[in-house]
Amino acid sequence: MPDLEITQDESNAIQAEQVKAYYDDANDLNIAGMIVFSLLIFVVYDAIPWWVWGPTLIFLVLTSLGRAYLIRQYHNTPASHSIRFWMKSQAIGGGLAGLCWGITVTAMLMYVPLTYQLFVLMVSVVVAATSTSEGFSLVLPSRLFTVASIGPITLWLLTVGDRLHTVIALMLLLFIPVTIVLGNKKNHIFLKAQRLRFKNETLVKELSRQHELLESASQSKSRFLAAASHDLRQPLAALMIFLEQLEFERQLSASGKDVLEHAHQATGSLCTLLDGLLDISRLDGHAVRIKLKSFAIQNLFNELEEEFRPIARQKGLRLKFSPCSAIVESDVILLVQILRNLISNALRYTPSGRVLVGCRHRHGMIVIEVHDTGIGIAEDQLPRVFEEFYQVDNQERERQRGLGLGLSIVDRAARLLGHSVTLASKPGKGSVFAVAVPQAKAAIIEEQTDTQQSHEVAGLDGRLIAIIENEGSIRVGLQLLLQSWGCRVVVADSAGTMINQLDTGGEAVDMIISDFGLRGTMNGVEAIARIRQRWGADLPALLFTGNISKETYTLAMNAGLSVLYKPAKAVALREAITTALGGGKSHGERA
Ligand code: ADP
């Protein structure tokens, strides 16, 4: 039962509603009362002297006109008087109209024979009952009408003295409180409904306020994640580039190599965490362009099998992909990301046994399932494992055991694609994660998936690459790394400096790599556009940035640029460069 305690404001609003409801119907009651009164007089007027009904008829008409005027005024300008005024004026009007009825009807009863008396009484009672029943939203006017109209009649009936008149008088004595009580009951129901309505409105307002708060908290969180990961990405990018460089150092001692290996592992973990955060904030901010197309599941399976076979072998697990001829409609990159997370979890949480990936047809959908014979998940944990950073039994937060982001990325990506993800698991027996993907409608010609396309690998030897990067350490690191791959490099920390250098050098560059945030007035996207204006619109370019905001992503996409997020492993950077140079797949977009 909701709490119906109401505030003063709500109480005022309820009174206003009462008045409104009453005034909406009051004109009909007012006019009907006047007509019935006139008809009543028409029936008996020749049996009684005119001065019995004439003055009261005039008075009732005047009262009714006065009430009609107030009703009109209320409808035109409800704020012209206080709520109390509108309430009181109708109560006075009701009382006066009742008095006209009471006095006239009582006088009539003294002159007319019994049959007419019964008719007059019946009409009076019906009118009083109707007034109480219809005016339930505001009880005072009808209460006063009933008492003023029936009261004098009852008193006269009691004075007559015979049995019939006395019984009728007693009945009327009963009628008055009963109609008032019934009117009150209807009024209570009306008031309760109004209270509920206002409570609901308050609740809805409170809910939308909470919703707005949540929204803004979530936006703040995304902004924080984006900003934090941007600030972390810059130095980490530099660190990774330098570590890659160190690996080429031949003089490293055995212990130095060991230290380097650990440093690699630590930066790898950081990189994975930042990538997870990046995925989450991009999926949350819808900064991902979904490209739906039809493709064969088997192509995905082949690629994933190749990727995970070495890991399974290293753990002594059997990894099996059942052949699948289904063609589905989805976004290849997001679907691969979902399956990659599910398969890597299956391998991680399976100490022995096997991991099986397969698909089955169900109600026009292709359900891709990842089965494992691993540790399983307890029933009470099942709904929680899709939450961000939630890990079962990893209070110590050991990094080798993951970060608790994998399944929340699966959940968000699947929601973006409209694919449902289900999970069934038994502790000690294993788990089954299933993703339902729509089957492709039209038969399609077998095509390679984006993730599989072979691309021409362009040689880097001797290529002239322009690097615009405002962070000194990353600029130096990139320069050294690219030079170690055989590239020639020209570096600058702002668009203006780079344009000057290129103009002075005069030699056409093969590619531009630019950060987004640069020294000077231009950002990376604008810098690339300006250089392309001078050196050709199809000059290969890559935006290499730690800025993971949706706005930056959209700017880059609109400019048709590939994006590679910092920190990136050297191999990813090399792949993005060769892709841009060779015109192969645009991997960087989601790198
Ligand atoms: P993590 O990086 O810890 O793997 P996830 O979000 O991918 O984060 O998973 C959340 C938790 O769900 C994990 O900590 C693990 O306890 C549980 N989990 C996920 N997949 C499996 C699985 N195949 N078998 C058993 N437990 C799993």
Side-chain angles (χ1 to χ4, degrees):
M1 188 65 195
D3 174 15
L4 289 186
E5 286 274 307
I6 53 167
T7 62
Q8 187 56 43
D9 283 351
E10 284 169 344
S11 159
N12 294 342
I14 290 172
Q15 280 194 347
E17 269 312 301
Q18 280 184 276
V19 169
K20 183 177 178 307
Y22 186 84
Y23 272 73
D24 282 349
D25 290 337
N27 236 352
D28 299 347
L29 281 176
N30 197 24
I31 293 167
M34 212 164 64
I35 293 172
V36 174
F37 191 73
S38 310
L39 287 175
L40 191 63
I41 288 171
F42 176 67
V43 173
V44 296
Y45 80 101
D46 47 0
I48 48 179
W50 69 267
W51 50 263
V52 169
W53 53 265
T56 45
L57 178 62
I58 292 169
F59 193 70
L60 184 73
V61 169
L62 289 176
T63 310
S64 301
L65 286 177
R67 291 179 89 184
Y69 170 75
L70 282 174
I71 290 164
R72 202 160 157 250
Q73 204 190 2
Y74 171 81
H75 281 131
N76 288 341
T77 46
S80 59
H81 293 287
S82 67
I83 294 294
R84 288 203 150 270
F85 171 84
W86 297 122
M87 283 177 155
K88 258 196 219 155
S89 57
Q90 286 302 323
I92 294 169
L96 289 177
L99 217 54
C100 291
W101 273 85
I103 294 168
T104 316
V105 169
T106 311
M108 276 178 191
L109 291 175
M110 294 175 188
Y111 285 90
V112 294
L114 185 63
T115 41
Y116 277 75
Q117 283 184 350
L118 293 178
F119 168 71
V120 169
L121 279 171
M122 183 195 76
V123 172
S124 306
V125 167
V126 168
V127 168
T130 310
S131 147
T132 320
S133 147
E134 293 306 309
F136 62 85
S137 51
L138 201 62
V139 284
L140 198 56
S142 51
R143 246 187 237 168
L144 289 175
F145 180 85
T146 307
V147 174
S149 62
I150 305 295
I153 304 172
T154 315
L155 290 179
W156 178 79
L157 288 170
L158 284 173
T159 60
V160 176
D162 67 11
R163 203 186 306 159
L164 178 67
H165 285 88
T166 312
V167 169
I168 295 174
L170 291 176
M171 281 179 167
L172 288 183
L173 275 179
L174 201 65
F175 168 80
I176 295 173
V178 166
T179 32
I180 288 176
V181 168
L182 285 179
N184 283 353
K185 275 194 179 162
K186 278 181 110 178
N187 181 256
H188 279 146
I189 294 169
F190 174 80
L191 290 180
K192 200 167 170 185
Q194 292 304 319
R195 277 191 205 119
L196 266 175
R197 191 189 124 189
F198 282 105
K199 269 285 149 226
N200 283 344
E201 278 176 10
T202 314
L203 280 176
V204 168
K205 273 189 208 142
E206 180 59 18
L207 263 179
S208 22
R209 203 181 64 84
Q210 296 286 356
H211 181 74
E212 273 166 24
L213 280 177
L214 272 177
E215 276 280 296
S216 90
S218 155
Q219 280 173 7
S220 308
K221 184 200 77 179
S222 297
R223 272 201 302 275
F224 170 75
L225 279 184
S229 64
H230 172 254
D231 291 349
L232 287 171
R233 268 163 202 280
Q234 293 290 91
L236 188 60
L239 182 62
M240 283 182 69
I241 292 167
F242 287 124
L243 285 178
E244 300 281 349
Q245 279 290 304
L246 256 184
E247 228 163 71
F248 289 104
E249 290 291 327
R250 292 171 205 285
Q251 306 93 318
L252 269 187
S253 64
S255 65
K257 280 189 178 141
D258 207 29
V259 170
L260 185 63
E261 179 57 33
H262 286 303
H264 260 310
Q265 273 174 12
T267 47
S269 283
L270 248 177
C271 210
T272 313
L273 172 62
L274 286 178
D275 284 344
L277 289 176
L278 172 68
D279 284 337
I280 294 266
S281 70
R282 290 176 66 212
L283 289 167
D284 268 356
H286 298 274
V288 172
R289 269 194 197 171
I290 297 174
K291 288 187 204 140
L292 289 183
K293 60 185 235 173
S294 305
F295 55 89
I297 291 274
Q298 190 58 49
N299 289 342
L300 252 61
F301 279 11
N302 292 343
E303 188 180 340
L304 289 165
E305 187 169 10
E306 211 167 287
E307 181 179 337
F308 285 103
R309 200 187 305 123
I311 302 169
R313 194 177 301 135
Q314 204 181 12
K315 276 196 82 176
L317 297 172
R318 273 174 293 134
L319 172 63
K320 185 170 165 11
F321 282 76
S322 300
C324 173
S325 60
I327 309 288
V328 293
E329 190 167 303
S330 182
D331 178 297
V332 186
I333 295 178
L334 282 180
L335 187 61
V336 166
Q337 192 173 17
I338 292 173
L339 295 179
R340 198 174 269 143
N341 283 350
L342 294 180
I343 298 167
S344 80
N345 272 354
L347 292 171
R348 185 183 304 153
Y349 297 108
T350 303
S352 64
R354 59 152 182 79
V355 171
L356 171 69
V357 185
C359 61
R360 58 174 92 219
H361 292 253
R362 200 174 291 155
H363 312 303
M365 305 289 275
I366 303 298
V367 181
I368 308 172
E369 294 179 346
V370 180
H371 296 247
D372 66 58
T373 55
I375 57 172
I377 304 168
E379 205 177 332
D380 60 326
Q381 302 289 330
L382 292 180
R384 300 212 57 192
V385 291
F386 289 94
E387 291 172 16
E388 286 164 34
F389 295 108
Y390 189 80
Q391 295 185 297
V392 183
D393 289 336
N394 191 12
Q395 275 87 355
E396 308 82 29
R397 301 202 70 80
E398 290 171 45
R399 286 293 142 249
Q400 316 75 285
R401 296 191 47 198
L403 301 159
L405 284 176
L407 289 182
S408 53
I409 291 170
V410 166
D411 180 53
R412 281 165 166 81
R415 261 193 278 153
L416 265 186
L417 291 172
H419 301 347
S420 68
V421 178
T422 51
L423 159 62
S425 188
K426 269 215 168 102
K429 294 254 187 269
S431 314
V432 184
F433 284 85
V435 190
V437 186
Q439 201 167 357
K441 288 181 195 80
I444 56 149
I445 299 149
E446 191 72 8
E447 56 171 307
Q448 280 185 315
T449 61
D450 262 10
T451 53
Q452 244 206 348
Q453 274 172 22
S454 62
H455 56 274
E456 191 190 326
V457 176
L460 296 182
D461 239 4
R463 300 287 196 145
L464 180 59
I465 301 198
I467 297 171
I468 319 177
E469 168 65 67
N470 65 334
E471 189 89 19
S473 54
I474 300 183
R475 199 167 56 239
V476 173
L478 274 177
Q479 185 175 10
L480 293 173
L481 191 64
L482 264 71
Q483 281 169 345
S484 76
W485 292 338
C487 303
R488 290 175 304 132
V489 181
V490 39
V491 293
D493 61 356
S494 73
T497 321
M498 178 54 79
I499 291 166
N500 284 342
Q501 288 197 59
L502 293 182
D503 278 343
T504 318
E507 190 184 351
V509 282
D510 292 302
M511 181 177 179
I512 321 160
I513 300 174
S514 178
D515 189 7
F516 182 74
L518 298 175
R519 238 172 262 272
T521 49
M522 270 182 261
N523 64 38
V525 176
E526 290 161 347
I528 291 172
R530 182 65 67 83
I531 295 171
R532 276 177 164 177
Q533 264 176 14
R534 169 81 175 76
W535 298 93
D538 53 356
L539 178 64
L542 174 73
L543 193 70
F544 184 43
T545 177
N547 183 325
I548 59 169
S549 73
K550 186 183 173 184
E551 293 73 28
T552 308
Y553 178 78
T554 313
L555 278 177
M557 287 301 108
N558 291 343
L561 289 176
S562 291
V563 183
L564 181 68
Y565 287 106
K566 292 173 188 168
K569 296 205 171 89
V571 18
L573 177 64
R574 190 179 170 121
E575 190 181 310
I577 296 172
T578 48
T579 303
L581 284 171
K585 65 173 177 169
S586 159
H587 226 151
E589 232 174 75
R590 302 271 179 83

